[in-house]
Amino acid sequence: MIEIVNVNKSYNGKSKAVDSLNLTINDGEIFGFIGHNGAGKTTTIKMLTGILNKDSGYIGINGIDITHEPMDAKKQFGYVPDSPDMFLRLKGIEYLNFMADMYDIDSETRKDRIKSLSERFEMATALNDKIQSYSHGMRQKIVIIGVLIHSPSIWILDEPMTGLDPKSSYTLKQMMREHADSGKTVFFSTHVLEVAEKLCDRVAIINKGKILFCGTINGMREHFKTNESLEEMFLEMTANE
């Protein structure tokens, strides 16, 4: 479970990038976080993961305050950033073992998880190659595998489908659904609104740092008395702002 209570963030004392943000993401759901570039999505995710400090408010990860107990809070989640270009000089298997070391995963458990995840994402034959030789999609897959090594209860994914081939994208969506159906939490941002509409149990639309709507897609249609797609409702909502 993720709790975000009255969170604010400004840069250089200027207008707020995130303005009095309140969200609760429940166990057992896929929650989509939607907004234009610059709307406040990545700032929110970076505060949620402890990369950025908030100006005020509370962020709880499974009841643990990310500000006051950052190490314990970070053990609760796996985070896929919006860029997979990291640790490029490591081989894929070296990166995965590094991630397993970070979370104190024993040798047998990591071996089983690396085997299972690399096969599922069709990366097993590439693990002994350096990450700098990977395509963008392969880099995205190795990062996803790495953050799932410690089997976190909360997945925080920033544009996770970017660069993935259709089969890998489908595999990830399956895994997200399985994870939520097992009573755990998936929080992800996306620009692909068709994916959000089909996959998410609830969505939040953020614009200029403020939440314009939070709820189910059907709830959004009822609220606006329309049968339009999520994409059409999103464009209308943000245009009005």
Side-chain angles (χ1 to χ4, degrees):
M1 183 178 185
I2 299 171
E3 296 172 279
I4 302 174
V5 182
N6 200 29
V7 167
N8 295 278
K9 179 68 177 179
S10 298
Y11 294 107
N12 301 319
K14 298 180 180 178
S15 60
K16 289 183 177 180
V18 171
D19 189 354
S20 302
L21 186 67
N22 289 278
L23 287 175
T24 299
I25 296 90
N26 300 308
D27 295 334
E29 72 174 349
I30 299 176
F31 190 95
F33 198 43
I34 301 165
H36 291 300
N37 291 335
K41 298 192 309 299
T42 296
T43 295
T44 299
I45 289 173
K46 286 183 176 180
M47 289 190 293
L48 185 59
T49 54
I51 296 170
L52 284 178
N53 292 322
K54 54 187 168 45
D55 294 339
S56 61
Y58 168 80
I59 296 174
I61 309 292
N62 285 339
I64 303 171
D65 190 318
I66 188 68
T67 300
H68 295 118
E69 301 176 85
M71 294 303 292
D72 288 337
K74 290 176 183 181
K75 291 177 182 178
Q76 304 298 312
F77 64 78
Y79 166 53
V80 175
D82 57 353
S83 172
D85 296 328
M86 57 185 72
F87 300 102
L88 298 181
R89 296 191 179 188
L90 294 182
K91 294 179 179 179
I93 190 65
E94 291 172 338
Y95 171 69
L96 297 181
N97 277 311
F98 166 73
M99 293 298 290
D101 288 340
M102 290 282 288
Y103 290 98
D104 297 320
I105 306 301
D106 65 76
S107 58
E108 282 302 312
T109 301
R110 77 174 63 183
K111 182 179 178 181
D112 290 343
R113 289 179 183 168
I114 289 171
K115 182 176 186 296
S116 174
L117 289 166
S118 63
E119 288 178 352
R120 195 157 187 185
F121 281 105
E122 299 183 337
M123 286 288 290
T125 59
L127 293 184
N128 286 314
D129 299 331
K130 287 190 175 183
I131 295 174
Q132 65 186 3
S133 72
Y134 289 178
S135 67
H136 181 91
M138 292 172 71
R139 293 179 187 181
Q140 186 77 352
K141 288 192 281 187
I142 202 73
V143 169
I144 291 169
I145 294 169
V147 302
L148 300 184
I149 285 289
H150 71 291
S151 193
S153 65
I154 294 174
W155 294 3
I156 301 172
L157 315 175
D158 195 358
E159 299 288 348
M161 314 297 179
T162 302
L164 293 183
D165 59 81
K167 186 173 182 181
S168 297
S169 181
Y170 179 76
T171 296
L172 179 58
K173 287 183 282 188
Q174 276 188 315
M175 293 173 68
M176 291 165 67
R177 186 73 267 166
E178 291 165 7
H179 191 69
D181 287 347
S182 71
K184 298 171 185 175
T185 305
V186 178
F187 178 94
F188 84 109
S189 72
T190 182
H191 285 122
V192 186
L193 299 189
E194 295 90 344
V195 170
E197 184 165 4
K198 292 177 182 177
L199 192 60
C200 294
D201 299 301
R202 288 192 302 141
V203 299
I205 293 177
I206 186 171
N207 192 50
K208 298 178 182 177
K210 293 187 175 184
I211 297 297
L212 302 184
F213 177 87
C214 181
T216 65
I217 306 297
N218 286 336
M220 191 184 299
R221 291 193 179 105
E222 290 173 9
H223 180 78
F224 293 105
K225 297 179 174 57
T226 182
N227 288 316
E228 293 179 327
S229 68
L230 173 60
E231 182 178 40
E232 291 168 321
M233 290 188 287
F234 169 79
L235 291 173
E236 289 179 15
M237 202 181 308
T238 52
N240 291 336
E241 289 293 312

